Each structure stands twice: as C-alpha cells, then as structure tokens.
Amino acid sequence: MNIPEKYIKHFPAYEDVFVGDLEHYRKHFLPICSINLQFLFPEQDEWLHFVSVKEIHESSVGEDTQSFHTTFTKEDMLGFDVMDGKYKFEADWDYFILHQKEQLEAAYETLKSTGDKAYLRMKRKVMSLDEVEHAYIANEQDYQSRKAFFLKNNNIYPYSSFGDAKESVEELTRDFEDKQSSGWGLSFPEVNGILDDIAFQSEEAQSYIKEYGESIEEMLQFEHTNLLYVPKCANGETFTYIGSFTGYYFQAFGADSVYLFYDRELRKAVICFEYS
C-alpha cells in the first residue's frame, strides 16, 4: 500500500517536526517521516511525525532516569505535546542520561576530591556514558548516510548496520551491491518504502488478522508485541494507533519496531520502541 505523496514527507527537517529548543532535539532525536492524518481521517488535516532517538544501543531508552519519567514518557516510550503540527517533548531533557553528563562528571569530581567512597559507584556511571556517547555518534552518522542514500536512490538501504555505522552513501552503495551479488533477499517497507504499517492496513497486518482471527479491538491491546508500555487514556482505551516502522533501517543501533500513537483530545503523540 502507498500513501498519496501529498500526505507523506520523508526525512523531514527538524524545524518542521519540533517546536522549542531545536539544539536539544537535534542532539537526541532522528526524524524519519511525517504523515498527514487526512489520509486516514478526512476531517483531520494535521501532521504527525515518526521519530527515533540516538540513545538506543544496549539497554532501554530512559532505563536509568526513572525520576524523570511521566505518564507518557518512560522506558522505551516518549510522549510529545502536538502544537500546530509539531512536537514538544513533554518530559525534562534529563530523561536522556547523556543530557546529564556534565553534572554527573561534576558530582564525580566532587565526591572524589572529598574522599567519599561513593565516587566509585559514580565513576562506573560516568564511564558508562562513554558507551552512550558512542551510540549517539554512531546512530547520527548512520542516519545521515542512510538519509543521503535515500535522497540519491529514492529508496532506503533495507538492511541492518548491526551496530556498525556506515560513513557515506558510497559505503552503503558498495555494501548494498555486495549483498545483492551474494544473494541477500530484498524487501522494502510496504508503505511508501519507509513505513511497515499504517493503522493495520498493510498486507502483513491484514494477513495476521486473518490468520489468527484477531479483531481490531484485540489488536489494539498490542498483546502480540513486546512493547513494555502502550499509551492509554484515562478510561483505559488505547490511543489511536497510527503506524510503525523498522527502527534499525535508519540508525546503527535501532529498535526492531517503532510505533506511533495519537490522542486527538489530549493532543498527545507517543512513540514506543519494541525489541524481539
């Protein structure tokens, strides 16, 4: 299936996706694509955005920053207020552990200078930030190469980088050609070559529904996934499910699937990461 081109934007600019301090959004987020809900709901002429984050590497995003969690921002789930078609991150920026680097390093130096043995625990925490920082760099580099590959070829590079960031379009092109000559399979995402599903309308989702006899109501519980959390309204109903994409097609370390949910009344968009 395809969305008419007027309803979808591939790799949108940060200023078209986020509102507020763009420096922070550029530091932590990766815009993948935007869709206009009018494609799904004719009366809703508004844009939503599929995004990922650079913090993904070995553990859950937000795993070590529980004190900064909110109702819709917790482990592997991020909430945004939707304001005139753009996202405002709802939580404190310290939700991202790397955002705390300077203050953690300062706390470590203070503990060390006073002889407080707690500095040893702090040392391990500070050292772990080097791995997170490496993931940020690798994810940014791989994302930029993949974005450039798409702009050149009008299709994504449809294989995982397995944590090894590609440095250029040329490297991706050589790797793509090598995989093809070696007999690797080739399958692009079903929705406009970038998304896997929109509102359970993809062939894969429809096939699953038919094979297992699932109703839409049952699908909306998302019990067939490994999601840690699914955003729900106060009455227990799941937010409107918009769609999903394969996270590792867009960065060196990526989620298996990334889901977008939306509640129009709350004006809240929620991104959730899933791993097998």
Side-chain angles (χ1 to χ4, degrees):
M1 65 174 294
N2 277 320
I3 298 174
E5 287 302 317
K6 66 179 180 178
Y7 296 126
I8 187 167
K9 300 175 183 177
H10 299 78
F11 296 102
Y14 280 87
E15 53 267 30
D16 293 332
V17 175
F18 302 106
V19 61
D21 192 334
L22 289 180
E23 179 181 351
H24 289 340
Y25 289 107
R26 289 191 178 96
K27 179 178 180 179
H28 299 291
F29 288 97
L30 298 170
I32 306 301
C33 78
S34 304
I35 67 166
N36 192 298
L37 290 183
Q38 206 165 27
F39 166 71
L40 288 170
F41 313 106
E43 76 284 359
Q44 295 186 37
D45 183 10
E46 53 185 316
W47 289 90
L48 291 181
H49 314 282
F50 289 84
V51 302
S52 188
V53 294
K54 300 178 187 179
E55 187 173 304
I56 296 175
H57 61 307
E58 293 182 350
S59 57
S60 297
V61 178
E63 181 177 30
D64 298 319
T65 54
Q66 286 87 352
S67 59
F68 297 99
H69 289 186
T70 69
T71 302
F72 299 112
T73 299
K74 49 189 74 174
E75 289 181 39
D76 286 333
M77 183 167 88
L78 299 99
F80 303 90
D81 296 316
V82 181
M83 307 170 66
D84 295 324
K86 296 183 181 182
Y87 285 178
K88 180 181 184 297
F89 184 48
E90 68 162 23
D92 191 282
W93 288 108
D94 280 342
Y95 165 84
F96 296 104
I97 189 67
L98 195 62
H99 204 80
Q100 303 179 34
K101 183 179 181 181
E102 289 186 7
Q103 62 197 66
L104 290 173
E105 288 176 338
Y108 164 69
E109 292 298 334
T110 298
L111 290 171
K112 184 178 179 180
S113 65
T114 59
D116 189 328
K117 291 186 178 180
Y119 88 90
L120 293 173
R121 292 193 298 274
M122 182 64 74
K123 181 180 181 180
R124 288 193 291 272
K125 193 169 187 177
V126 169
M127 290 179 65
S128 71
L129 292 180
D130 290 339
E131 296 181 10
V132 178
E133 195 162 34
H134 169 73
Y136 266 68
I137 294 170
N139 283 326
E140 167 71 18
Q141 184 180 62
D142 204 54
Y143 168 82
Q144 292 297 344
S145 296
R146 287 168 176 270
K147 176 180 178 180
F149 183 93
F150 176 85
L151 294 175
K152 179 180 180 180
N153 299 287
N154 200 34
N155 59 255
I156 66 169
Y157 170 79
Y159 303 107
S160 170
S161 292
F162 302 104
D164 182 20
K166 307 304 181 189
E167 296 184 359
S168 66
V169 175
E170 291 72 26
E171 183 179 357
L172 282 172
T173 301
R174 287 194 301 270
D175 193 64
F176 180 84
E177 292 172 349
D178 288 344
K179 283 180 168 56
Q180 289 300 289
S181 63
S182 299
W184 282 57
L186 181 61
S187 178
F188 294 105
E190 182 178 334
V191 184
N192 295 70
I194 196 166
L195 298 176
D196 296 326
D197 180 58
I198 287 289
F200 300 130
Q201 294 182 16
S202 66
E203 289 183 9
E204 183 176 355
Q206 287 296 307
S207 176
Y208 181 93
I209 290 171
K210 291 177 182 177
E211 180 177 356
Y212 294 98
E214 297 272 356
S215 66
I216 293 298
E217 289 73 23
E218 290 171 324
M219 292 288 286
L220 284 172
Q221 298 306 308
F222 286 88
E223 293 179 354
H224 60 289
T225 70
N226 292 322
L227 290 174
L228 292 177
Y229 301 99
V230 175
K232 296 182 182 294
C233 304
N235 62 5
E237 291 186 3
T238 301
F239 277 26
T240 299
Y241 163 63
I242 303 301
S244 63
F245 67 91
T246 300
Y248 54 75
Y249 281 171
F250 301 95
Q251 58 194 98
F253 303 93
D256 292 325
S257 294
V258 183
Y259 297 80
L260 172 60
F261 299 87
Y262 180 55
D263 185 87
R264 194 182 190 194
E265 184 176 338
L266 295 176
R267 307 295 298 170
K268 187 79 68 174
V270 177
I271 291 284
C272 295
F273 303 109
E274 178 193 30
Y275 307 88
S276 5

